[in-house]
Amino acid sequence: MQLQCPMPQLDFEVITLGHGSGGLLTNRLLDAGVFSLFHNDQLDQRHDGALLSFPGPVAFSTDSFVVSPVFFPGGNIGDLAVHGTVNDLAMCGARPQYMSLSFILEEGLSMQEFWDILVSIKFASEQAGVQIVTGDTKVVERGKGDKIFINTTGIGPIHPRAAIAMDRVAVGDKVIVSGELANHGIAIMSVREGLTFETDIVSDTRPLHQLVQTLLDTFGGAIHLLRDPTRGGVATVLSEVARDSGNGISLQQGALPVADGVAGACELLGLDPLYVANEGIFLAIVAPEEAEAIVATLRGIPGGEAAAIIGEIVAEHPRQVVMRSQIGGRRVVNMLAGEQLPRIC
Amino acid sequence: MQLQCPMPQLDFEVITLGHGSGGLLTNRLLDAGVFSLFHNDQLDQRHDGALLSFPGPVAFSTDSFVVSPVFFPGGNIGDLAVHGTVNDLAMCGARPQYMSLSFILEEGLSMQEFWDILVSIKFASEQAGVQIVTGDTKVVERGKGDKIFINTTGIGPIHPRAAIAMDRVAVGDKVIVSGELANHGIAIMSVREGLTFETDIVSDTRPLHQLVQTLLDTFGGAIHLLRDPTRGGVATVLSEVARDSGNGISLQQGALPVADGVAGACELLGLDPLYVANEGIFLAIVAPEEAEAIVATLRGIPGGEAAAIIGEIVAEHPRQVVMRSQIGGRRVVNMLAGEQLPRIC
């Protein structure tokens, strides 16, 4: 479901340098686009910043988005930019409350494309319950940017039962993934390379705060660490956890949820799904006695249907991730070296 | 004075796409650059976000910086990015406390240039007393960006005596500017056009929170509105104030502080200093009975030496800014139309 928001009549069809001047054209662009779509008490002040209050502790996170192409199967840079920061907050155990929104537009971007992105941002922010309260718009010359880059920075209250920290990762903990691997990266790759597969592969871009909220409501301190495996994929994030916690991680290859179409595409493209970027799943390191119940809970929530236990924290091979194959083989899993799919988010 | 921070020995001299992969190279870049320079309790967690607490109300502001050239007389994109957000917070009556830092790097950027920018960010953030607590780094292909774009998003507590709001602007209020007009825009322009002037013109990029803090400590509620006239200059910001407050604004041309060299350069380049961007001054709309004392206070603080009353809020010509010349002429001052100096910040 997508919001229907027809673009207003405007006297320009493309973004020009003047729209970044801070003057009349910037005001017209903001009136037509941003203020009409996102208006709220804070934005309507048109001040340099928003005035906020937080009774308790909050999480604060930023991300810049440069994904190419800007529109891809399952989403676009607009909803991706909202989900990205919503999810970084969720990984801190926080609910998204306020967000800033900053654009770097390339001269010549069509206003229709910009509008479609703005509408996606509106829909995604409403779905996530986050208010856009302050922002910025710059324009660079043709050839000095690439259509649109977006920064979102979010802030929101931390769940009262959250106790998420690297030093809570302990030997025996289970490693859970909330859904299928590699959908986002393969969806982007398929558009870039003009590939079509037998099944439609779409990005998994989605907000994760509801899933996390439910886990924290139900299991509280049994959730020791949360991470979303975006750039660098599951392999890189788990390598960082092994390095930073000082523990080993043992993965079961057969337990990794990968859709058949995605597995086939990965094979065709020579990619390991463990290194491909995701935008709608997370990894949870949890107390072993609650692991089965956590997976069962996730499976009952939209977006968590494919949740699975994929490994555990071990005392062996400290600071290393080791994958065990179905026939008993073992291989060390390292961080992504070099670059597999540039500008994936 | 600038910090001396020699660049560590690295096995790469330029930024490559791999530095934005999220994997091994990203980790190496962050270890060498960001984490070693900026380390603090929050950053050292290496989580997706920072955990913060605010006992009282805060201001929240974002800006993306795309200035070209990246290095200019008086500063570079790094300190500009810190000052820009520090100043937006100051305009809300807030002290900068925490900041996020997000880079979009172009493949091929030299590591030495990136390092010099990082060092400037470190120095500017320490000078402003703001902690960088979370960040992001992306890399785009050569020709899809322009060396480096930076987003900073800041948050900090509002001064207990601040009562800054558009609806406090009242007829009779005085309009004060804290320093000379047009220095930043002309400094950038001179590098771009390869111009040299008799006197060195340097950007006024500086943090304004100290000046604002002192005004609020001393004059509290007599400060009705604060704005920094960056893109679009003093003319555009005052036009917005006239539009949004519903009042008229009368300016005295002879009262505008403009350095002789800058005035000469403006004449040479056909620019009106009223429309040229500034990065180190602010406009204050203040209670008339305190205006002289406020100017005297500003003049006693570094960065405020050229402060002056330049006009007042009037009941005549509502929603319009009118400039009165020294010989009694009058002209309407409108917002900047079109674009004068693209990518000034």
Side-chain angles (χ1 to χ4, degrees):
Chain A
M1 195 194 73
Q2 182 60 279
L3 279 190
Q4 293 299 318
C5 289
M7 186 167 78
Q9 284 289 334
L10 297 172
D11 58 358
F12 57 95
E13 288 180 7
V14 297
I15 299 294
T16 62
L17 286 172
H19 289 117
S21 67
L24 196 63
L25 290 175
T26 305
N27 268 276
R28 277 205 199 136
L29 176 66
L30 295 180
D31 286 340
V34 178
F35 289 121
S36 69
L37 275 175
F38 299 116
H39 73 92
N40 58 50
D41 286 353
Q42 291 288 345
L43 267 191
D44 295 350
Q45 296 289 323
R46 291 170 166 248
H47 206 317
D48 286 332
L51 309 188
L52 310 173
S53 284
F54 302 99
V58 294
F60 177 55
S61 185
T62 193
D63 250 328
S64 286
F65 295 84
V66 299
V67 66
S68 172
V70 162
F71 295 89
F72 50 82
N76 64 57
I77 193 170
D79 41 32
L80 187 73
V82 174
H83 298 157
T85 287
V86 162
N87 293 350
D88 280 347
L89 291 176
M91 296 307 102
C92 300
R95 173 174 65 77
Q97 188 175 10
Y98 301 112
M99 193 175 273
S100 66
L101 179 62
S102 182
F103 297 110
I104 299 174
L105 308 179
E106 185 191 15
E107 180 188 20
L109 173 69
S110 89
M111 187 59 208
Q112 183 65 58
E113 283 188 296
F114 186 38
W115 179 261
D116 291 343
I117 291 164
L118 287 170
V119 171
S120 292
I121 291 171
K122 178 185 168 71
F123 179 68
S125 59
E126 286 181 356
Q127 189 195 16
V130 63
Q131 267 199 329
I132 291 160
V133 291
T134 192
D136 183 45
T137 305
K138 296 290 195 305
V139 181
V140 296
E141 306 92 324
R142 208 181 288 263
K144 299 294 185 183
D146 197 9
K147 286 195 170 183
I148 178 169
F149 301 145
I150 302 180
N151 178 280
T152 53
T153 303
I155 191 160
I158 294 171
H159 194 287
R161 297 192 63 197
I164 295 163
M166 191 59 75
D167 61 15
R168 299 204 61 229
V169 173
V171 170
D173 282 1
K174 298 296 184 187
V175 180
I176 290 171
V177 68
S178 69
E180 291 167 352
L181 272 60
N183 291 345
H184 178 72
I186 297 301
I188 298 281
M189 195 70 177
S190 68
V191 203
R192 277 202 210 149
E193 305 294 319
L195 299 175
T196 48
F197 302 108
E198 275 177 40
T199 51
D200 285 345
I201 298 172
V202 299
S203 166
D204 61 349
T205 181
R206 74 163 70 86
L208 295 169
H209 65 293
Q210 266 322 337
L211 287 165
V212 169
Q213 182 99 2
T214 305
L215 288 196
L216 291 172
D217 285 347
T218 317
F219 301 99
I223 313 296
H224 295 169
L225 193 72
L226 296 171
R227 280 290 157 94
D228 56 340
T230 55
R231 286 182 292 172
V234 168
T236 299
V237 169
L238 288 182
S239 295
E240 289 174 351
V241 173
R243 176 194 66 193
D244 296 342
S245 75
N247 295 301
I249 299 179
S250 169
L251 287 183
Q252 292 297 334
Q253 184 158 27
L256 295 170
V258 183
D260 288 345
V262 171
C266 280
E267 218 166 287
L268 192 73
L269 296 163
L271 296 172
D272 182 344
L274 215 52
Y275 289 93
V276 177
N278 310 280
E279 289 292 339
I281 63 171
F282 62 88
L283 294 161
I285 316 281
V286 306
E289 61 277 12
E290 300 283 13
E292 293 288 352
I294 289 169
V295 167
T297 301
L298 285 173
R299 286 188 176 168
I301 310 173
E305 297 87 345
I309 299 173
I310 61 170
E312 70 177 295
I313 307 296
V314 295
E316 298 87 62
H317 49 81
R319 298 174 191 275
Q320 267 197 340
V321 182
V322 172
M323 172 102 95
R324 285 170 170 72
S325 75
Q326 278 140 301
I327 55 163
R330 292 165 46 120
R331 68 175 170 100
V332 173
V333 173
N334 291 310
M335 275 190 199
L336 176 62
E339 176 56 296
Q340 198 182 44
L341 298 167
R343 297 180 59 192
I344 203 72
C345 63
Chain B
M1 194 195 74
Q2 182 61 277
L3 278 192
Q4 293 298 318
C5 288
M7 187 167 78
Q9 285 288 335
L10 297 173
D11 59 356
F12 57 93
E13 289 180 5
V14 297
I15 299 294
T16 62
L17 285 173
H19 290 118
S21 68
L24 195 64
L25 289 175
T26 305
N27 268 276
R28 279 207 198 135
L29 176 66
L30 294 180
D31 285 341
V34 179
F35 289 121
S36 69
L37 275 175
F38 299 116
H39 73 93
N40 58 50
D41 287 351
Q42 290 288 344
L43 267 191
D44 294 350
Q45 296 288 322
R46 292 172 167 244
H47 206 318
D48 287 332
L51 309 188
L52 310 173
S53 283
F54 302 99
V58 292
F60 176 55
S61 185
T62 192
D63 250 328
S64 286
F65 295 84
V66 299
V67 66
S68 172
V70 162
F71 295 89
F72 50 82
N76 64 55
I77 193 170
D79 40 33
L80 187 73
V82 174
H83 297 157
T85 287
V86 163
N87 293 350
D88 280 346
L89 291 176
M91 297 306 104
C92 300
R95 174 174 65 77
Q97 188 174 8
Y98 301 112
M99 195 176 271
S100 65
L101 180 61
S102 181
F103 297 110
I104 299 174
L105 308 178
E106 186 192 13
E107 180 188 19
L109 173 69
S110 88
M111 187 59 207
Q112 184 64 58
E113 283 188 296
F114 186 39
W115 179 260
D116 292 344
I117 291 164
L118 286 170
V119 171
S120 292
I121 292 172
K122 177 186 169 72
F123 179 67
S125 58
E126 285 179 358
Q127 190 195 16
V130 63
Q131 266 200 331
I132 290 159
V133 290
T134 191
D136 184 45
T137 305
K138 296 290 196 305
V139 181
V140 296
E141 307 92 323
R142 208 181 286 263
K144 299 295 185 183
D146 196 10
K147 286 195 170 184
I148 178 169
F149 301 145
I150 302 180
N151 178 280
T152 53
T153 304
I155 191 160
I158 293 172
H159 194 287
R161 296 191 64 197
I164 294 163
M166 191 58 75
D167 60 14
R168 298 202 61 229
V169 173
V171 170
D173 281 1
K174 298 294 184 188
V175 180
I176 290 171
V177 69
S178 69
E180 291 168 351
L181 272 60
N183 291 348
H184 177 72
I186 297 300
I188 297 280
M189 194 70 176
S190 68
V191 204
R192 277 201 212 151
E193 306 294 320
L195 300 174
T196 48
F197 303 109
E198 276 177 41
T199 51
D200 284 346
I201 298 172
V202 299
S203 168
D204 61 349
T205 182
R206 73 164 69 86
L208 295 169
H209 64 294
Q210 269 319 341
L211 287 166
V212 169
Q213 182 99 3
T214 305
L215 288 195
L216 291 172
D217 285 348
T218 317
F219 301 99
I223 314 296
H224 295 168
L225 193 72
L226 296 170
R227 280 290 157 92
D228 56 339
T230 55
R231 285 182 294 173
V234 169
T236 299
V237 168
L238 288 182
S239 295
E240 289 174 350
V241 173
R243 177 196 64 193
D244 295 342
S245 74
N247 295 299
I249 299 179
S250 170
L251 288 183
Q252 291 296 335
Q253 184 157 27
L256 295 171
V258 183
D260 287 346
V262 171
C266 280
E267 218 167 288
L268 192 74
L269 296 163
L271 295 172
D272 181 343
L274 215 53
Y275 289 93
V276 176
N278 310 280
E279 290 292 337
I281 62 170
F282 62 89
L283 295 160
I285 317 281
V286 307
E289 61 277 12
E290 301 284 12
E292 292 290 351
I294 289 169
V295 167
T297 300
L298 285 172
R299 287 188 176 167
I301 311 173
E305 297 87 346
I309 298 173
I310 60 170
E312 70 177 294
I313 307 296
V314 295
E316 298 86 63
H317 50 81
R319 298 172 190 278
Q320 267 197 343
V321 181
V322 172
M323 171 101 96
R324 285 172 170 71
S325 75
Q326 279 141 301
I327 55 163
R330 293 166 44 120
R331 68 175 170 99
V332 173
V333 174
N334 290 310
M335 275 188 199
L336 176 62
E339 176 56 295
Q340 197 183 43
L341 298 167
R343 298 181 56 193
I344 204 71
C345 63

